[in-house]
Amino acid sequence: MRNVGIVGVGYCPQFVSKRKDVSIPEMISEAVDAAFADSGLGPQDIDAIVFGNMHTFEGVNLPHLWSVEHIRALGKPVMRIATGGTTGMTAFHAGYYHIASGLHDVVMVVTFEKHSEGDAQVGLLGIITPEAVAMMMAGIDLTGEGGMGAQGGGSAGAITYQAVSWMHKSGATIDHIDAIAAMERRNAAKNPYAHLKDPEATAEKIAKTPMISYPVRYGHVCPTTDGATVCILASEEKAAKIADKVAWVWGVASCASDPTTGNLIEGLITDPAEQMQCVIAAREAYKRAGIEDPKREIDYVEIYNGFAHQTLMYLELVGMCEVGEAHKLLEQGELEITGRLPVNASGGVVSTNAIGTSALNRVTECALQIMGKAGERQVEKEVHKALAHGWGGLMQYASITILADKPKKL
Amino acid sequence: MEEVKLEFFNPTVPLDFQYNNRVGPGIQKLLDGFAERKIYGSKCPSCGKVVVPPRTICGACNAKMEGFVEVAQEGTLRNFTVGHVYLEKGQLKKAESPYVLGLVELDGVDSLFLARISGVEPSGVKEGMRVKAVWKDQVQGDYADLDHFRPA
Amino acid sequence: MAGKVAVVGLKFACAPDLKTTRERLVFELTRGLFDELGIDRHEVDTFIMCSNDFIDGRTISTVFLDAPSGAYLKDETKVEMDGLNALIYGWMRILSGQYDTALVVSLGLTGSQASPYLNIQYSLSPTYERQVGLLNELAGAALQARSYLSRSGYSEELLDLVAAKDLQLAAKNPRQGRRLEAVDVDKVRSSDYYYEPLRELHCYPRTDVGCVVLLASEKKAAELTEKPVWILGAGNSIETYFYGERDLSRSPSAAEATRRACSLAGISDPSKEIDFAEVSALFAHQEPLLAESMSLIPEGEAEKAYRDGITGPGGSMPINPSGGSLGGHTVCAGGLLRLCEAVLQIRGEAGPVQLEKAGTALVHGQDGLCAQQNAVLILGA
């Protein structure tokens, strides 16, 4: 068992809709340079690299092969992780295990996505395209009662079921979803690396955006972004020499459920708002971190919210508040940067979504808050422990990372 | 328990997706050069190696390769293969007639350049031959402008 | 580094066409393995999936494979490279002390469902190599073969010797995919040229493969098997992508991966301390090329080694006693096939291709054009 800490974070200079000026490897190298600058390290200090992204978005297989020189990986061990939306965090976890195993001391985690080079719906629908096409060719009617995926298109279709089910369980309304979306777009305005920023966002403005499929409005949905994020991890002995401020990893966990929305023949098996795998992953992460009372011990949370309601829904599912409490905390202003349970000061995924980076950004943003390096979006309260959450796939993957401001007692 | 006989439905599912990949400054320079029937490369400020096509990072030196250099259009054939097949969408097809692919060491360039070798029978191709670039009659700043290399 | 980790169970299927679906294949392999070991899925602490989205034709291609693998509501992740890397990740997770068992689940249906050449094709740069349209897996391998033969001074006949040896062994090995009758150097030489000097029988065949491997910590291994095969060391290394800048006649990354693996295993001279090797040589020339780079045979002596039978089953450095990748290979599961054959050898369960001396093995897997990236594991009894 070894303690592992985050000693460097690097973002490419801008997360925007289209980076027309650079190729994929060139964009990634910007984030690598930023991480080196942040940590004071160079390529010679890195023992191994973990690389993650979702490649159907760019149409490049195993992009770490093409990007070797740009990620300064010549001669080194490189591992590729690809788990859908959770990729950024599962790649981070792989980096963590590279060091926790005792095999390496300093590991660089590289993630990116360049959505502008492909069609995002292709990447998302591609999870089920062969099944769907084969079923249609076999004469199965996919648009009838069971044809859930056909509604609304892509992941937005399935998400409506999740949002409605959660609203029913929690008593939250669409007004709350408007409000949390607005809060995060206001937060994003303080984040130089966010994509959709609106310092004057309000629930009313969000409510005026077109309805995609109740209760999901256009203003609730994440953008597609071009961007790259790099994070450098080190063992306890090395971390002390590299950085004054380190964000220590106390617990990581992942869990996979059944592909809820992929069952086009029978319709839903599982309530997509149940997210049992998230509950299990959070429980396991708390156990590993030695945290018994998350509501008291966790100071800051970053939730992977491709859709605005998910901030509130997952806040409840990871146990940071009771079911039905999240939207009340929102009403009371407690989730704001100035509040008692600040969430997504970065603006969340609903403001920035380069899919390969999105789950890693939840970790790096928690790390920056712990290290006091979050600039204008630094929350008011002191952050000693933080929780980063990720989800992916057909809403059946979950990953959790718990960070703290000092090494865990082993 | 009764043995269940399985019958599988085997559809061919065609997946056709379009991508719009950005070339970045390095390849852009290559293509701009092609429009002028010129070949450009990059030079590493640290180790001095010259590579074609141009790019912005020398991984070995952790150095940025800024600025481009025009390189020679003639060189030495260092390696080659005679192709009797080709791949189309991953499927192996027989070529109408054998063709030659070669790795050319352009004078002054450290990386080898892959190109078709024509203007000579496959059996007449030899390692160490001098070859030179042959451009299309009309160039447009496209990859296909540099058509092949022939014996110099 | 804490403790040791062993391979305690495996199950695989390899054929030109397994006539099955991905879900069914994965279910039958994991269910079969669990039944053999007398365990259920709850004794697996973590699942490392390994398949390739482009070859599977789906994004996040293991979404539908988690449940059939037994990973429902369990810890699961996915490595998308040659399966030896997924195994290395499982190894790391157990070494961390947080897990006692890890199941690697891998497949590639490049016999019946997708062309294996697409793996390399889509890995090429969309802004240069793919647009120019000249480079592909076969052409690249052929240039590598010529570069190797040219630098080493070996004759083209070496390719025929390697292929004949491998294909004859594959014919004897009931677990292999391509099992040809009466194959010898003449039969190899009579197969059609793809890109000179590579002929059809010098190249790996299109194969369907599914493979699951269970790893366990030292304390758990004793409960699960009487014949654990230990991971003594592993390493991974990568070369530049830029084809024109590589020394195609050698594999510096295979050499580096071997150095790292041997260093962990406490091996200083692989040619003496390794009993045999299972190497992912996708083309005949890659077997001697990799063997030299991995210090199994001295550089410059490969042709002699093959002619003298040193690399055959009766020799002092048997390479690919199973028949190797020329008998069956796919993306992701390819390296795990080699690992499984090595484990069976060490356990004395390799059947018709069993070696006499099989205590310590080197196992190799590759990714990228002409083995741009290589993974090496050292296994021991």
Side-chain angles (χ1 to χ4, degrees):
Chain A
M1 267 300 213
R2 289 172 105 195
N3 271 318
V4 180
I6 296 172
V7 296
V9 172
Y11 295 123
C12 68
Q14 19 161 5
F15 279 71
V16 291
S17 319
K18 297 189 198 327
R19 283 297 303 277
K20 297 187 193 177
D21 55 322
V22 286
S23 66
I24 287 165
E26 286 157 0
M27 183 181 76
I28 299 169
S29 76
E30 292 172 348
V32 172
D33 287 330
F36 285 154
D38 185 49
S39 59
L41 296 175
Q44 67 286 352
D45 302 309
I46 306 294
D47 296 332
I49 290 119
V50 178
F51 190 103
N53 82 305
M54 283 322 292
H55 35 319
T56 24
F57 291 116
E58 296 84 20
V60 184
N61 186 27
L62 309 178
H64 68 282
L65 296 175
W66 180 26
S67 312
V68 184
E69 305 232 1
H70 295 80
I71 62 178
R72 322 309 142 80
L74 286 172
K76 303 197 177 183
V78 179
M79 183 179 285
R80 174 177 169 73
I81 303 285
T83 59
T86 50
T87 296
M89 201 180 292
T90 53
F92 177 85
H93 291 182
Y96 165 79
Y97 284 111
H98 271 64
I99 301 176
S101 63
L103 290 168
H104 299 285
D105 290 327
V106 183
V107 175
M108 184 163 74
V109 178
V110 177
T111 63
F112 85 96
E113 216 64 75
K114 208 155 186 279
H115 286 286
S116 68
E117 298 199 358
D119 180 342
Q121 285 309 315
V122 157
L124 297 168
L125 281 171
I127 303 176
I128 54 162
T129 309
E131 265 75 33
V133 174
M135 285 186 215
M136 289 195 286
M137 287 166 81
I140 295 172
D141 176 15
L142 293 180
T143 56
E145 270 174 21
M148 214 179 52
Q151 294 195 27
S155 57
I159 284 292
T160 58
Y161 285 79
Q162 185 187 66
V164 168
S165 175
W166 167 71
M167 283 160 67
H168 178 74
K169 278 203 258 270
S170 64
T173 67
I174 194 173
D175 301 329
H176 296 109
I177 306 178
D178 295 334
I180 187 77
M183 181 193 98
E184 298 202 37
R185 296 278 163 84
R186 286 195 303 271
N187 289 350
K190 299 178 162 50
N191 180 358
Y193 304 104
H195 179 184
L196 297 179
K197 310 177 207 227
D198 186 358
E200 265 129 57
T202 59
E204 291 72 36
K205 275 171 85 171
I206 300 283
K208 290 203 176 85
T209 61
M211 183 73 74
I212 296 176
S213 177
Y214 184 85
V216 179
R217 298 193 213 271
Y218 193 75
H220 298 164
V221 180
C222 57
T224 53
T225 316
D226 286 354
T229 301
V230 171
C231 180
I232 302 183
L233 296 153
S235 63
E236 194 168 356
E237 313 82 62
K238 288 263 166 113
K241 298 185 195 125
I242 296 168
D244 294 328
K245 299 182 185 157
V246 177
W248 296 95
V249 182
W250 276 41
V252 303
S254 286
C255 189
S257 180
D258 68 276
T260 312
T261 60
N263 193 314
L264 295 166
I265 298 177
E266 292 166 53
L268 284 163
I269 298 178
T270 323
D271 172 3
E274 183 192 58
Q275 297 288 295
M276 181 56 61
Q277 72 282 4
C278 175
V279 174
I280 293 175
R283 208 189 301 154
E284 184 64 26
Y286 291 138
K287 186 161 138 221
R288 287 179 175 162
I291 288 177
E292 285 170 358
D293 189 357
K295 289 192 198 110
R296 259 195 337 103
E297 300 179 57
I298 302 283
D299 302 306
Y300 178 76
V301 182
E302 279 275 340
I303 296 284
Y304 191 119
N305 58 342
F307 301 86
H309 72 277
Q310 292 176 326
T311 309
L312 303 172
M313 182 186 84
Y314 280 117
L315 206 56
E316 294 168 351
L317 286 164
V318 299
M320 285 306 298
C321 61
E322 301 299 323
V323 175
E325 214 189 322
H327 65 277
K328 298 202 177 105
L329 288 168
L330 173 66
E331 281 169 355
Q332 292 153 16
E334 303 291 17
L335 306 184
E336 299 263 4
I337 284 176
T338 48
R340 281 189 298 161
L341 177 50
V343 180
N344 288 4
S346 61
V349 178
V350 78
S351 303
T352 313
N353 188 18
I355 283 185
T357 68
S358 290
L360 179 60
N361 283 11
R362 312 281 64 74
V363 177
T364 51
E365 285 296 313
C366 283
L368 292 172
Q369 292 286 348
I370 286 175
M371 299 192 275
K373 288 160 81 167
E376 215 192 321
R377 62 196 186 285
Q378 182 75 44
V379 300
E380 256 184 35
K381 67 184 280 200
E382 272 184 37
V383 179
H384 299 290
K385 294 201 181 72
L387 180 144
H389 153 273
W391 73 264
L394 293 171
M395 304 187 295
Q396 94 280 21
Y397 288 140
S399 289
I400 304 281
T401 304
I402 298 178
L403 303 176
D405 60 357
K406 53 183 188 289
K408 188 159 170 292
K409 277 198 181 36
L410 294 173
Chain B
M1 192 151 91
E2 237 182 83
E3 180 78 25
V4 176
K5 185 167 180 295
L6 289 172
E7 255 181 64
F8 290 99
F9 172 58
N10 278 327
T12 299
V13 177
L15 297 175
D16 204 342
F17 302 139
Q18 235 179 352
Y19 292 91
N20 182 21
N21 303 101
R22 304 290 173 192
V23 297
I27 299 294
Q28 189 57 56
K29 186 65 185 176
L30 182 83
L31 296 173
D32 290 345
F34 279 10
E36 299 174 349
R37 295 194 173 84
K38 292 186 174 159
I39 305 177
Y40 280 97
S42 301
K43 182 171 173 152
C44 174
S46 180
C47 65
K49 78 175 176 214
V50 176
V51 299
V52 176
R55 64 172 185 271
T56 53
I57 301 250
C58 176
C61 302
N62 188 34
K64 305 249 186 303
M65 295 202 263
E66 261 135 24
F68 305 106
V69 294
E70 194 191 337
V71 303
Q73 307 213 359
E74 201 176 302
T76 314
L77 187 67
R78 289 296 177 210
N79 193 358
F80 69 95
T81 180
V82 181
H84 297 257
V85 298
Y86 63 98
L87 283 174
E88 194 176 79
K89 296 195 188 233
Q91 301 305 316
L92 208 54
K93 304 233 153 104
K94 190 134 177 62
E96 258 179 47
S97 53
Y99 60 98
V100 182
L101 294 178
L103 285 168
V104 179
E105 185 184 343
L106 295 168
D107 294 338
V109 177
D110 295 286
S111 65
L112 299 181
F113 188 81
L114 182 70
R116 212 180 251 247
I117 310 293
S118 297
V120 56
E121 280 302 304
S123 54
V125 178
K126 300 266 177 290
E127 226 175 278
M129 274 173 79
R130 294 287 299 171
V131 292
K132 68 187 285 183
V134 177
W135 300 90
K136 279 213 151 66
D137 291 333
Q138 308 269 40
V139 293
Q140 315 172 55
D142 188 66
Y143 301 93
D145 290 347
L146 178 45
D147 193 66
H148 65 273
F149 279 70
R150 66 162 172 79
Chain C
M1 200 195 332
K4 290 198 292 178
V5 178
V7 174
V8 296
L10 57 91
K11 203 158 193 61
F12 64 97
C14 172
D17 183 351
L18 283 172
K19 297 191 181 7
T20 186
T21 65
R22 297 155 68 239
E23 293 78 9
R24 185 165 209 88
L25 174 62
V26 153
F27 172 71
E28 285 175 353
L29 291 174
T30 51
R31 180 77 265 163
L33 178 62
F34 293 160
D35 289 345
E36 267 173 36
L37 295 177
I39 61 173
D40 72 22
R41 67 192 195 87
H42 294 297
E43 294 189 55
V44 176
D45 296 334
T46 183
F47 292 75
I48 320 274
M49 314 297 288
C50 183
S51 74
N52 183 290
D53 284 5
F54 284 80
I55 294 300
D56 287 358
R58 296 156 177 79
T59 314
I60 329 176
S61 52
T62 46
V63 161
F64 292 101
L65 302 181
D66 292 328
S69 309
Y72 175 65
L73 292 183
K74 305 228 359 128
D75 189 316
E76 172 270 9
T77 189
K78 180 181 178 206
V79 170
E80 196 179 41
M81 313 166 69
D82 182 82
L84 290 186
N85 298 284
L87 197 103
I88 287 173
Y89 189 14
W91 179 52
M92 287 175 178
R93 285 187 161 214
I94 298 176
L95 285 175
S96 76
Q98 290 174 24
Y99 302 93
D100 279 316
T101 52
L103 184 73
V104 179
V105 179
S106 182
L107 79 165
L109 299 182
T110 51
S112 61
Q113 290 193 11
S115 164
Y117 309 123
L118 292 172
N119 175 48
I120 295 299
Q121 216 54 34
Y122 287 124
S123 74
L124 294 175
S125 158
T127 58
Y128 187 70
E129 275 81 12
R130 274 194 251 170
Q131 298 300 329
V132 172
L134 295 176
L135 193 57
N136 60 54
E137 182 172 6
L138 298 172
L143 288 164
Q144 183 190 40
R146 275 208 83 256
S147 175
Y148 175 61
L149 295 178
S150 183
R151 176 188 59 77
S152 312
Y154 301 144
S155 71
E156 253 185 62
E157 215 190 304
L158 173 58
L159 306 181
D160 305 326
L161 290 171
V162 177
K165 165 185 85 68
D166 285 345
L167 292 171
Q168 281 162 8
L169 288 166
K172 281 166 79 175
N173 183 351
R175 302 175 293 274
Q176 273 285 19
R178 174 162 67 180
R179 306 179 63 200
L180 302 172
E181 276 181 28
V183 59
D184 58 8
V185 290
D186 289 326
K187 181 153 180 173
V188 171
R189 209 170 286 144
S190 68
S191 65
D192 288 336
Y193 268 136
Y194 280 169
Y195 286 86
E196 296 182 28
L198 294 179
R199 298 178 185 277
E200 185 189 337
L201 291 182
H202 294 144
C203 305
Y204 71 93
R206 291 192 50 167
T207 324
D208 280 357
V209 182
C211 184
V212 301
V213 181
L214 184 65
L215 298 176
S217 61
E218 198 169 2
K219 78 169 197 267
K220 191 79 180 167
E223 289 170 36
L224 294 168
T225 180
E226 283 169 4
K227 296 188 210 170
V229 174
W230 303 99
I231 298 175
L232 304 179
N236 178 301
S237 181
I238 192 169
E239 291 165 47
T240 186
Y241 163 81
F242 302 106
Y243 191 72
E245 294 170 50
R246 290 174 61 185
D247 175 5
L248 293 171
S249 72
R250 294 183 172 87
S251 182
S253 55
E256 176 61 21
T258 305
R259 253 192 302 275
R260 288 166 176 262
C262 285
S263 162
L264 288 173
I267 288 176
S268 45
D269 186 351
S271 69
K272 295 197 174 63
E273 299 171 65
I274 300 285
D275 295 329
F276 71 100
E278 282 282 336
V279 169
S280 296
L282 308 194
F283 305 92
H285 68 281
Q286 286 187 347
E287 198 179 281
L289 189 160
L290 289 163
E292 284 178 347
S293 291
M294 298 192 293
S295 303
L296 298 171
I297 311 173
E299 200 179 88
E301 294 186 24
E303 188 161 3
K304 184 169 190 309
Y306 277 85
R307 289 193 188 283
D308 292 350
I310 287 173
T311 56
S316 57
M317 180 51 74
I319 300 187
N320 287 339
S322 66
S325 308
L326 292 190
H329 175 79
T330 190
V331 299
C332 295
L336 289 174
L337 272 184
R338 306 276 63 75
L339 181 120
C340 287
E341 287 288 341
V343 169
L344 291 173
Q345 285 283 354
I346 293 174
R347 299 203 308 207
E349 296 168 12
V353 291
Q354 178 68 51
L355 296 169
E356 259 187 53
K357 186 159 182 256
T360 310
L362 180 148
V363 180
H364 158 272
Q366 62 165 285
D367 276 296
L369 179 60
C370 295
Q372 184 194 343
Q373 184 174 23
N374 290 279
V376 169
L377 268 91
I378 311 290
L379 302 176

